[in-house]
Amino acid sequence: MTASLKETGLGLRSLTISVAFAIVGATGAMAQDNADPSAVIRIGSLYEPQNLDNTAGAGQGINEAFNGNVYEGLFQLTDDGDVVEKLVSGFEMSEDGLTYTFTLQPDVTFHSGDPLTAADVKHSIERVTAETSQSSRKRSLANIESVEAKDDSTVVVTLKERSISLPYNLTYVWIVNDAAEDLTSGEDGTGPYKLDNWRRGSSITLSPYENYWGEKPKNGGVTFSYFKEATALNNALLTNAVDIITSVQSPDSLMQFQDNPSFVVTDGQSTTKEVLAYNDRVAPFDNVKVRKAVARAIDRKRLLNSIWGDHGTLIGSFVPPTDPWYVDLNDVDAYDPESAKALLAEAGYADGFTFTLDTPNYDPHPIVAQFLQNELAKVGIKVEINIITANEWYTKIYQAQDFQATLQEHVNHRDIVFYGNPNFYWGYNNPQVWN
Amino acid sequence: MVLFILLRLLPGDPANSLISVGADEAQIAAARRQVGSDLPLAQQFLQFITSLARFDLGTSFISRTPVLPEIMDRLAVTLPLTVLSFLLALVIAVPLGILSAVKADRWYGAAISVVSQLGIAIPVFWVGILLVTLFAVNLRLFPSGGFPPRGWGAPVEALRTLFLPILTIAIVMSASLLRYVRSATQDVLGSDYLRTARALGAGFSEALVRHGIRNGAVPVMSILGIELATALLGAVVVERVFNLPGLGSMLLLAIEQRDYPNIQGVLFISTLLVLLIGFLADLGQRLVDPRLRESRGARS
């Protein structure tokens, strides 16, 4: 399935920068037992949630702020990628693999004071699978036939088909109080922190929840400050207005921290991929040879280097290396402009062709587009860059599928499931893959 | 009406801000239903007009929070920002403007004039970035941006974060104000009444203070109204540079997301504010110039 896929993927992003605790006591509080227990950790981020409900289109920022802090799942995904029990104390799977019986942790309470019951779990799962839900995990849970609350602490989930992914998929289901009325601007979770204050356009403040059932936080709370611009975010870290920033947007801005002993730069794994997607339904990209030729005409190593310096990884496909089925496909259609030209000639485009590349107007897409323009000119392909906003992208490309090629960052993990769908925006139609 | 149609002509759909890659048809349809973009335009317009007539600015498509409280929250940043910048600009511009007109033949009179000319030419965001680099990053005297989570519940902190943005707007605003004050003063200096006042035995500064300022203030006053209104709407740039949760950044975000209720709400409230400022400027002119009051009185 690899050779005909239409992707040039490079895994970038996710460098986390944090201030050393020796300079700022607050940061040390997370790791050091002797740290000031009342210190508030100040985190700077570029991703303010649009609202506070991950089933109502809140965006990626809400997961950064709330996952594991305000809300917990039945299971938890650890930093190493393992799925461990969280709000369940144990579970059993029936022999046919279709029925899961979960036993809930005792003595868990919501921030409003209500106890956690099986009815809350049922409500929480059904919230994600509901017709109006905007959760990106909705489809993964479509396999659930029913959720029943057997008694207060036992939940029975019945599946339509066997699945080994249920615990994994449940790590994304926030357990919310079924009596909570407003989850878009308020919360009622079971996590170690509760929401103090959300100042739209500016900050979210969390404070420790005094009746938390597990190990209590060793700090006085967390403030997420939201920034629109990377420069303002970097300045905030430089001037000690925040202790941690969750991402850097360019290797240039990394340098001001790297050479400074007050800061620690952590390199992490990311599931964000920069993807060049062809529309397989329209000429010339309906021709697999053209798609392969374009892939071979692009020096991905140089592209990565020009954008991220020594950081980031070439992944050779659109599957993040953290997914269990990841295979390094960098050698498939590797950089080889001569053979790209030959393939183009075979496909009937010996003199090249012109196509329009719909490019979102934010970093890193415009730079990538310019790089592609230069690179493809060398094999005779002319790229016309059409800059569009993120909002237009969804109307023109995602829904109307009215495009030849486009650039996009895909942030999900285990997202291979929708890539093979022939109705997906790039229209890769291979019945073998879809089945 | 114009606003309503113009907004709908923008490509894109507010529902797009709610969905993510991987969303299926049902999710997209649900998002469109939620924001009402699946309804015919006429029906959307009717809803908009009827709720506006009830002073109900509606609920944001995206955050699902009511529009008016958020506008009030953000005005708590933008209003002090503009009003304080305006006052600071006045404090800088009025004495310097008068000085540069009165002492136009001295080197410092000319220098003030040249510097103000430069000030008009510099873009606001550039002044902001310079001030941040100098006072925040290098000298660590003031925060580089942001607004305290507790807002005005922490007044000292709030004022400290607003200091650099206020200085930024004041510097740029005072440059243009200074030009107006200077030329108004020059007009006054060449006027007959000032010469008469001096001929009647008043000293130069006494004549200027008693007769000059009052007369010069009338044209400056109407400019002040326009400047204040511009500052209110122009604060968006400064809010961006200093990462302030003000009205301008709310408008910008709402436009990006096609969050129509928020866009319409912000524009509605800012229009009201601009009208109010115009009214206050008019009122101010009447206070300093009795002739305006009398002429109106005579007509009615």
Side-chain angles (χ1 to χ4, degrees):
Chain A
M1 62 176 273
T2 58
S4 53
L5 286 173
K6 57 254 130 261
E7 296 282 337
T8 308
L10 13 139
L12 307 172
R13 198 57 52 86
S14 180
L15 304 141
T16 315
I17 295 191
S18 64
V19 182
F21 67 87
I23 301 298
V24 183
T27 318
M30 289 193 297
Q32 301 290 308
D33 287 337
N34 56 359
D36 175 7
S38 65
V40 172
I41 301 165
R42 301 164 305 167
I43 300 176
S45 167
L46 291 170
Y47 310 107
E48 186 184 12
Q50 307 192 116
N51 56 55
L52 301 183
D53 186 349
N54 70 349
T55 66
Q60 65 178 15
I62 196 61
N63 292 329
E64 182 179 276
F66 274 17
N67 270 9
N69 292 333
V70 172
Y71 289 107
E72 296 172 309
L74 293 181
F75 293 87
Q76 183 188 14
L77 190 65
T78 65
D79 289 343
D80 302 325
D82 298 326
V83 176
V84 298
E85 291 169 357
K86 191 74 191 179
L87 288 178
V88 297
S89 57
F91 72 98
E92 275 171 33
M93 184 177 69
S94 67
E95 259 173 45
D96 60 4
L98 291 180
T99 309
Y100 282 77
T101 307
F102 298 105
T103 311
L104 301 179
Q105 292 277 9
D107 305 325
V108 177
T109 54
F110 288 104
H111 300 156
S112 59
D114 292 352
L116 168 71
T117 65
D120 297 311
V121 175
K122 175 177 160 68
H123 170 77
S124 301
I125 296 177
E126 286 173 353
R127 222 168 64 90
V128 176
T129 55
E131 201 208 341
T132 52
S133 153
Q134 292 299 334
S135 167
S136 58
R137 292 289 140 187
K138 187 178 170 184
R139 204 181 321 215
S140 343
L141 295 176
N143 186 28
I144 293 178
E145 174 80 40
S146 68
V147 185
E148 293 312 323
K150 206 167 130 194
D151 57 50
D152 266 1
S153 61
T154 316
V155 182
V156 180
V157 176
T158 317
L159 301 179
K160 293 171 189 158
E161 291 167 20
R162 272 186 91 99
S163 165
I164 50 159
S165 301
L166 185 66
Y168 169 81
N169 287 329
L170 288 176
T171 61
Y172 287 92
V173 178
W174 289 351
I175 302 306
V176 306
N177 186 350
D178 61 357
E181 279 166 10
D182 174 23
L183 295 177
T184 49
S185 59
E187 58 91 9
D188 199 3
T190 60
Y193 295 93
K194 60 184 198 303
L195 175 71
D196 255 4
N197 177 10
W198 176 31
R199 179 171 273 272
R200 277 254 289 160
S202 177
S203 61
I204 283 179
T205 315
L206 308 179
S207 63
Y209 172 48
E210 56 282 3
N211 296 324
Y212 182 56
W213 61 276
E215 196 188 338
K216 293 193 176 62
K218 290 197 177 73
N219 54 59
V222 185
T223 303
F224 287 88
S225 296
Y226 295 105
F227 295 79
K228 297 278 178 295
E229 288 203 317
T231 322
L233 178 67
N234 295 337
N235 280 337
L237 182 59
L238 280 174
T239 58
N240 193 18
V242 295
D243 304 318
I244 299 172
I245 61 178
T246 57
S247 68
V248 271
Q249 296 292 302
S250 77
D252 305 345
S253 57
L254 254 187
M255 283 191 293
Q256 57 191 332
F257 302 112
Q258 245 162 0
D259 302 335
N260 187 332
S262 326
F263 299 105
V264 177
V265 179
T266 354
D267 240 309
Q269 291 250 7
S270 165
T271 59
T272 302
K273 298 94 39 189
E274 175 76 1
V275 168
L276 164 65
Y278 317 129
N279 188 347
D280 288 12
R281 301 174 194 85
V282 301
F285 297 115
D286 52 352
N287 187 332
V288 61
K289 285 181 179 156
V290 175
R291 307 201 291 258
K292 287 164 81 78
V294 173
R296 289 179 194 186
I298 301 166
D299 186 348
R300 275 151 276 186
K301 202 181 275 175
R302 211 156 60 82
L303 170 60
L304 178 61
N305 193 271
S306 63
I307 294 175
W308 271 110
D310 299 331
H311 303 275
T313 325
L314 291 176
I315 56 176
S317 72
F318 47 68
V319 173
T322 43
D323 280 354
W325 44 78
Y326 173 74
V327 182
D328 185 346
L329 300 175
N330 273 307
D331 292 337
V332 178
D333 292 317
Y335 179 55
D336 184 356
E338 286 313 311
S339 85
K341 279 188 204 162
L343 267 176
L344 281 178
E346 270 180 54
Y349 294 101
D351 298 328
F353 60 91
T354 303
F355 75 92
T356 305
L357 181 64
D358 287 316
T359 307
N361 62 353
Y362 48 90
D363 283 342
H365 307 301
I367 311 167
V368 175
Q370 279 174 15
F371 183 90
L372 296 180
Q373 195 175 38
N374 282 328
E375 203 75 344
L376 293 176
K378 294 178 197 159
V379 296
I381 301 173
K382 193 163 170 256
V383 181
E384 279 172 0
I385 298 174
N386 178 35
I387 301 276
I388 57 174
T389 64
N391 199 295
E392 283 173 81
W393 189 90
Y394 276 101
T395 299
K396 183 174 188 283
I397 289 155
Y398 193 73
Q399 294 177 53
Q401 298 171 351
D402 168 25
F403 72 108
Q404 284 184 294
T406 187
L407 290 169
Q408 186 54 278
E409 282 173 311
H410 288 195
V411 297
N412 296 330
H413 35 95
R414 302 206 177 181
D415 46 12
I416 197 168
V417 285
F418 41 81
Y419 289 171
N421 186 337
N423 294 323
F424 198 58
Y425 74 91
W426 55 50
Y428 175 66
N429 191 355
N430 183 337
Q432 214 183 329
V433 172
W434 187 222
N435 290 335
Chain B
M1 174 91 192
V2 174
L3 182 66
F4 180 85
I5 292 172
L6 278 181
L7 284 178
R8 264 70 182 180
L9 283 177
L10 286 173
D13 185 324
N16 289 345
S17 301
L18 294 175
I19 59 178
S20 59
V21 167
D24 57 25
E25 306 252 310
Q27 279 174 310
I28 294 172
R32 286 175 60 91
R33 206 165 38 248
Q34 185 195 320
V35 304
S37 64
D38 58 335
L39 298 175
L41 266 189
Q43 203 174 335
Q44 289 184 40
F45 182 67
L46 206 68
Q47 282 185 351
F48 166 63
I49 283 295
T50 46
S51 48
L52 200 61
R54 281 182 277 124
F55 284 99
D56 174 9
L57 294 180
T59 303
S60 157
F61 284 164
I62 312 299
S63 71
R64 299 197 190 172
T65 48
V67 175
L68 195 61
E70 189 182 342
I71 289 181
M72 290 306 158
D73 227 28
R74 288 174 178 261
L75 271 180
V77 177
T78 302
L79 271 189
L81 173 68
T82 27
V83 171
L84 290 175
S85 317
F86 179 72
L87 293 178
L88 183 59
L90 276 183
V91 169
I92 300 173
V94 172
L96 285 182
I98 295 176
L99 188 71
S100 80
V102 174
K103 305 285 182 186
D105 50 347
R106 298 290 184 81
W107 68 267
Y108 51 86
I112 292 172
S113 177
V114 169
V115 170
S116 76
Q117 198 72 271
L118 267 178
I120 293 176
I122 324 176
V124 148
F125 70 87
W126 196 67
V127 176
I129 291 170
L130 280 186
L131 290 180
V132 168
T133 314
L134 182 65
F135 287 106
V137 178
N138 289 326
L139 296 175
R140 302 286 165 96
L141 289 176
F142 293 97
S144 61
F147 200 66
R150 289 197 293 136
W152 289 102
V156 178
E157 214 185 323
L159 269 180
R160 256 172 60 87
T161 54
L162 283 185
F163 182 77
L164 287 183
I166 287 173
L167 193 60
T168 306
I169 301 181
I171 286 177
V172 174
M173 201 198 274
S174 62
S176 60
L177 272 185
L178 197 151
R179 310 289 308 168
Y180 292 119
V181 174
R182 183 173 187 268
S183 68
T185 315
Q186 273 172 337
D187 284 349
V188 168
L189 287 179
S191 66
D192 295 340
Y193 59 79
L194 198 75
R195 202 179 48 205
T196 311
R198 293 202 64 191
L200 289 173
F204 178 72
S205 32
E206 192 200 334
L208 195 64
V209 170
R210 277 195 59 177
H211 304 284
I213 289 185
R214 216 166 203 208
N215 278 291
V218 177
V220 171
M221 201 76 101
S222 62
I223 295 292
L224 288 185
I226 297 172
E227 283 283 325
L228 184 57
T230 319
L232 186 73
L233 303 177
V236 55
V237 179
V238 173
E239 285 172 12
R240 186 93 180 190
V241 172
F242 290 96
N243 203 47
L244 291 172
L247 204 60
S249 51
M250 177 176 174
L251 181 62
L252 212 63
L253 180 70
I255 292 173
E256 272 170 32
Q257 298 175 331
R258 306 285 186 272
D259 193 348
Y260 300 144
N262 272 5
I263 303 176
Q264 286 154 352
V266 173
L267 293 181
F268 182 70
I269 296 292
S270 6
T271 312
L272 283 186
L273 283 173
V274 169
L275 288 176
L276 183 71
I277 291 168
F279 173 70
L280 288 179
D282 253 18
L283 215 63
Q285 272 180 326
R286 250 164 243 209
L287 280 180
V288 295
D289 190 347
R291 284 169 303 177
L292 282 172
R293 271 174 284 176
E294 279 162 21
S295 66
R296 281 296 161 91
R299 225 180 289 156
S300 61

